[in-house]
Amino acid sequence: MAQEDVFKKIVSHCKEYGFVFPSSEVYDGLGAVYDYGPHGVELKNNIKKYWWESMTLLHENVVGIDSAIFMHPTIWKASGHVDAFNDPLIDNKDSKKRYRADVLIEDYLAKTDEKIAKETEKAAKRFGSTFDEAKFRATNPRVLEQQARREAIHARFVKALNDSNLEELRQIILDTEIVCPVSGTRNWTEVRQFNLMFSTEMGSTSEGAMKIFLRPETAQGIFVNFLNVQKTGRMKLPFGIAQIGKAFRNEIVARQFIFRMREFEQMEMQFFVRPGEEMEWFNKWKKTRLAWHKALGLGDAKYRYHDHDKLAHYANAATDIEFEMPFGFKEVEGIHSRTDFDLSQHEKYSGKKMQYFDPEQGQSYTPYVVETSIGVDRMFLSIISGSYAEEALGNGESRVVLRLPAALAPVKLAILPLVKKDGLPEKAEEIRAMLRFDFHCQYDEKDSIGKRYRRQDAIGTPYCITIDHQTLEDNQVTIRYRDTMEQERVAIGKLHEIIAEKVSLKNLLKKINN
Ligand code: ATP
């Protein structure tokens, strides 16, 4: 199945099974805004819990805060967002569709890479075991030509981004003959800068309302609280502050479901370090964060690092962790070395000292910051995409299964009496009463057992427990495993232990704590 079709199926699956709904759907929706349904909110909460506990339980020197969305408007002046939080936009005059100029060029570069990879794959098949990939890439004229063209465009692109040269960005789009995917034409407008911040007003207009911004990142709430946290928590460098919260960006192009939203949620951690030690911490956090992703078991090959071509105005190093979505490898998390930019700027604009007194060095300085910043919604999408599978069952039937990491699954077990009579529902109720305080359970007595299994597969429930007539005699139930569909007879008294082993967040956290 084409990847595009897989993505469409995932989007409709999310809706059909109560994970994600378009916002304001009865009014035909609101661009790039989504609501989470009953299963979606459970999965989302579990993702947040996994992140929060990995930060605050596994690192003694990381503490949390929850700062307000509304902040003093000067914060965004100081942080550089008022002047520099822009994306370059371009319109196609025929389709009237709007695009990010940088994304059009990035997609072109990615397509060239794909072409080269395909060429190499074809040759590998042709030559069989004698194939030498390195030699092929270094000598094949077509590959060399494509590679050289790619490098030249890439170099121009990086320079144009760093110089904020909008004419050159447009020229690259023209030179590479990029067409609008909708109209198929190259009839492009100029490239313009577009600020992504939403604004609103605080206070009544008669008293002179103040223009304020909806935060485009949660990080600034951490920076301006740096000293509050350091002093009240008696924190010593290095230490981190973690926060989960909403962020808002008026994205130019918002056509990829919850990948790019206008209202979304971030999980950010700012780690304050001594100046000069930032690269060491940057590398440490890169590793720690990748291990966090990989522990979920969606497949190590689905992740890769991607270093930034253009560093943000505040950064001296930046890497993304990308996940292989149905539409290619895409950023899920950013790890940035933000220098002392933010704290120094706030010191300058507020006139208040933002320094740390280092008792070991006997002097004060402005700490450097390494940040890890991940979008909850993108993480959600990566997990759903990595878990979604359609499987033929061999008897002409098929199933859709979400192989969600068990610890994150919205429902941990389903309790299914085989029939709705003969005391089986009462027995099932007894089992539910025993397990409900520890695990999110779902009780289902409607339809055939096969249909009920399919419903649970579709929402990623790791275990189904079936109660039959035999159960009333021997106190045993059938436990069915989602991934293998194997069934086993086990004693009711054993259920808690079996389920806890796989679904416990503690066991997942233990995997990354070494
Ligand atoms: P992109 O290049 O895709 O626009 P970004 O580099 O601007 O992303 P950051 O500013 O580094 O993103 O934000 C940190 C994280 O927040 C991202 O890795 C992503 O997971 C999430 N994020 C950013 N923008 C959005 C959005 N519009 N919708 C959903 N998540 C987002």
Side-chain angles (χ1 to χ4, degrees), residues 350-386:
S350 67
K352 311 267 164 40
K353 272 241 163 308
M354 288 280 183
Q355 296 202 336
Y356 167 76
F357 178 74
D358 190 327
E360 281 170 37
Q361 293 191 344
Q363 58 166 336
S364 294
Y365 52 79
T366 310
Y368 270 44
V369 172
V370 173
E371 150 185 278
T372 71
S373 173
I374 170 170
V376 180
D377 314 86
R378 278 196 197 174
M379 187 62 203
F380 185 107
L381 183 58
S382 72
I383 289 174
I384 293 267
S385 308

Side-chain angles (χ1 to χ4, degrees), residues 2 23 309 371 413:
S23 156
D309 282 334
E371 150 185 278
L413 71 145

Side-chain angles (χ1 to χ4, degrees), residues 85 87 100 216-217 249 251 258-266 268 308 314 320 331-334 336 371 373-379:
F85 196 54
D87 276 343
R100 264 174 63 176
E217 61 174 30
R249 295 182 188 180
E251 296 282 359
I258 54 171
F259 180 78
R260 193 172 295 288
M261 303 159 90
R262 296 204 166 100
E263 172 180 340
F264 57 100
E265 218 168 341
Q266 288 186 314
E268 297 199 293
H308 282 207
Y314 48 73
D320 295 336
E331 169 182 349
V332 172
E333 172 158 7
H336 310 127
E371 150 185 278
S373 173
I374 170 170
V376 180
D377 314 86
R378 278 196 197 174
M379 187 62 203

Side-chain angles (χ1 to χ4, degrees), residues 74-273:
T74 310
I75 286 178
W76 304 110
K77 188 78 194 145
S79 69
H81 283 81
V82 171
D83 297 320
F85 196 54
N86 301 320
D87 276 343
L89 69 83
I90 189 165
D91 295 283
N92 182 270
K93 292 184 201 164
D94 298 319
S95 66
K96 308 272 184 275
K97 288 276 175 206
R98 180 160 285 182
Y99 299 91
R100 264 174 63 176
D102 55 334
V103 172
L104 285 179
I105 299 170
E106 273 169 9
D107 287 350
Y108 167 86
L109 292 170
K111 270 192 203 134
T112 313
D113 289 340
E114 265 169 41
K115 270 191 209 152
I116 295 171
K118 273 208 186 119
E119 196 90 45
T120 314
E121 248 172 59
K122 259 201 304 193
K125 273 202 195 125
R126 226 178 22 244
F127 292 107
S129 59
T130 59
F131 185 64
D132 177 346
E133 183 175 332
K135 193 168 162 207
F136 176 80
R137 280 180 181 264
T139 54
N140 181 278
R142 251 205 323 268
V143 167
L144 283 177
E145 190 207 314
Q146 278 172 342
Q147 192 65 40
R149 199 156 4 108
R150 186 212 182 278
E151 293 314 322
I153 294 294
H154 184 248
R156 280 175 67 190
F157 176 54
V158 173
K159 184 161 180 351
L161 284 181
N162 284 321
D163 298 348
S164 295
N165 185 343
L166 303 182
E167 279 109 74
E168 172 68 353
L169 281 180
R170 179 169 191 271
Q171 199 52 50
I172 295 173
I173 290 173
L174 296 181
D175 293 350
T176 49
E177 304 186 342
I178 293 173
V179 296
C180 164
V182 177
S183 68
T185 72
R186 283 180 257 152
N187 196 6
W188 297 109
T189 60
E190 298 303 304
V191 176
R192 280 173 296 142
Q193 290 288 27
F194 177 77
N195 193 288
L196 300 182
M197 279 199 296
F198 285 98
S199 62
T200 184
E201 287 183 346
M202 181 177 266
S204 77
T205 36
S206 58
E207 289 163 20
M210 176 160 62
K211 178 178 171 187
I212 57 168
F213 298 99
L214 298 190
R215 65 182 179 195
E217 61 174 30
T218 61
Q220 296 305 323
I222 294 179
F223 289 123
V224 295
N225 276 299
F226 159 68
L227 279 183
N228 283 338
V229 174
Q230 190 268 318
K231 288 195 171 133
T232 56
R234 294 165 47 240
M235 309 298 292
K236 284 210 177 73
L237 243 60
F239 74 91
I241 305 178
Q243 164 156 246
I244 300 178
K246 288 268 174 142
F248 305 83
R249 295 182 188 180
N250 197 4
E251 296 282 359
I252 299 171
V253 180
R255 295 183 201 123
Q256 279 167 325
F257 191 40
I258 54 171
F259 180 78
R260 193 172 295 288
M261 303 159 90
R262 296 204 166 100
E263 172 180 340
F264 57 100
E265 218 168 341
Q266 288 186 314
M267 305 188 281
E268 297 199 293
M269 195 279 301
Q270 315 291 320
F271 200 71
F272 299 89
V273 304

Side-chain angles (χ1 to χ4, degrees), residues 10-22 34-44 46-47 257-258 377 380-381 383-384 387-388 400-404 408-411 442 455-461:
I10 290 173
V11 175
S12 55
H13 190 86
C14 278
K15 181 164 177 224
E16 189 180 343
Y17 287 94
F19 284 92
V20 182
F21 308 127
Y34 290 89
D35 299 335
Y36 286 83
H39 293 132
V41 70
E42 295 291 341
L43 174 55
K44 200 176 179 211
N46 291 339
I47 294 171
F257 191 40
I258 54 171
D377 314 86
F380 185 107
L381 183 58
I383 289 174
I384 293 267
S387 306
Y388 182 91
V400 171
V401 54
L402 282 188
R403 297 177 184 279
L404 295 174
L408 304 187
V411 178
Q442 217 171 60
R455 278 203 288 269
Q456 295 302 328
D457 287 343
I459 61 166
T461 306

